[in-house]
Amino acid sequence: SVCSKEDVEGVVKSYAAVAREGQKEVIQQAALAQSSKKVVESVVRQMDADKVEREKRRSNVVVLSAPEPEKEASAEQKKKEDKDFCSKVLGIPLKDVETCWRAGKIDNSKPDYLRPLVIKLKSEGLVEEWTKEGKGFKTESGFWINKDLCAADRKANFLAREQRRTRSQKK
């Protein structure tokens, strides 16, 4: 039996339609695989950056709401006032403090904003001691001493607190 020209054209057209649909699916899968690869690479880069950040902060503690030194004081005088605050108010011996500094810039549009005081201690053991194994320590003067966490760890801790609050409210 001989096929007509119309039969052949119909078969060719239906094959082309099937091939075109298959090709679209293959292209979509390739694009998805490529974007997944980029996402994985991005996540790995961020995890590496977080690891480096954690390493830099592992000997640090942070005190929020610590009073700022006088604005007119020199940088040297401000550093001395912060170190005095560490020893006299917080009770951290100066022999345990390597250095301390204020995080962030002074924002004149927010006169009541107190920059966090970051204190680099001489060892990780001292960090654990002063933060009660990372739970935070409230001094007799009412200031909290906490570990200096990277942004990812702060966010993870915040989400964990939110989940605890949600669970406790459901009870």
Side-chain angles (χ1 to χ4, degrees):
S1 97
V2 175
C3 294
S4 70
K5 183 177 178 184
E6 289 80 29
D7 290 339
V8 170
E9 284 176 350
V11 168
V12 168
K13 284 181 182 176
S14 64
Y15 174 76
V18 168
R20 192 170 40 250
E21 287 303 311
Q23 190 176 24
K24 281 182 184 175
E25 189 176 322
V26 167
I27 289 171
Q28 287 173 338
Q29 287 177 349
L32 182 63
Q34 186 64 26
S35 67
S36 295
K37 181 180 177 188
K38 287 179 181 175
V39 167
V40 167
E41 287 171 350
S42 172
V43 167
V44 167
R45 270 194 307 277
Q46 186 60 49
M47 288 173 66
D48 287 344
D50 288 343
K51 184 178 179 182
V52 168
E53 191 71 18
R54 269 185 211 100
E55 188 66 25
K56 287 197 304 191
R57 295 171 181 250
R58 72 177 186 210
S59 295
N60 298 350
V61 294
V62 177
V63 179
L64 302 177
S65 303
E68 291 269 355
E70 293 299 319
K71 290 180 183 178
E72 296 79 29
S74 67
E76 213 173 278
Q77 183 62 31
K78 288 178 181 181
K79 192 172 203 96
K80 182 184 178 327
E81 285 184 39
D82 281 340
K83 278 195 169 188
D84 287 345
F85 178 82
C86 291
S87 65
K88 293 176 183 165
V89 178
L90 300 176
I92 301 174
L94 285 180
K95 67 177 179 57
D96 294 345
V97 176
E98 197 167 299
T99 188
C100 63
W101 65 92
R102 294 290 176 150
K105 294 181 181 176
I106 294 174
D107 188 350
N108 292 328
S109 67
K110 299 177 185 174
D112 294 337
Y113 176 70
L114 299 172
R115 296 175 298 156
L117 176 62
V118 181
I119 306 164
K120 184 171 187 72
L121 299 175
K122 300 234 174 166
S123 73
E124 288 178 64
L126 289 168
V127 170
E128 294 301 320
E129 182 183 321
W130 279 101
T131 61
K132 301 299 178 207
E133 281 69 44
K135 294 177 184 167
F137 172 68
K138 189 171 185 178
T139 64
E140 289 178 11
S141 52
F143 293 96
W144 281 91
I145 300 175
N146 293 300
K147 281 187 171 184
D148 185 15
L149 302 175
C150 67
D153 292 342
R154 285 193 303 269
K155 186 173 183 177
N157 285 355
F158 173 77
L159 293 173
R161 283 193 308 274
E162 287 293 303
Q163 285 181 340
R164 283 194 303 270
R165 275 190 208 118
T166 304
R167 281 195 304 261
S168 68
Q169 288 174 354
K170 287 180 181 178
K171 290 181 180 179

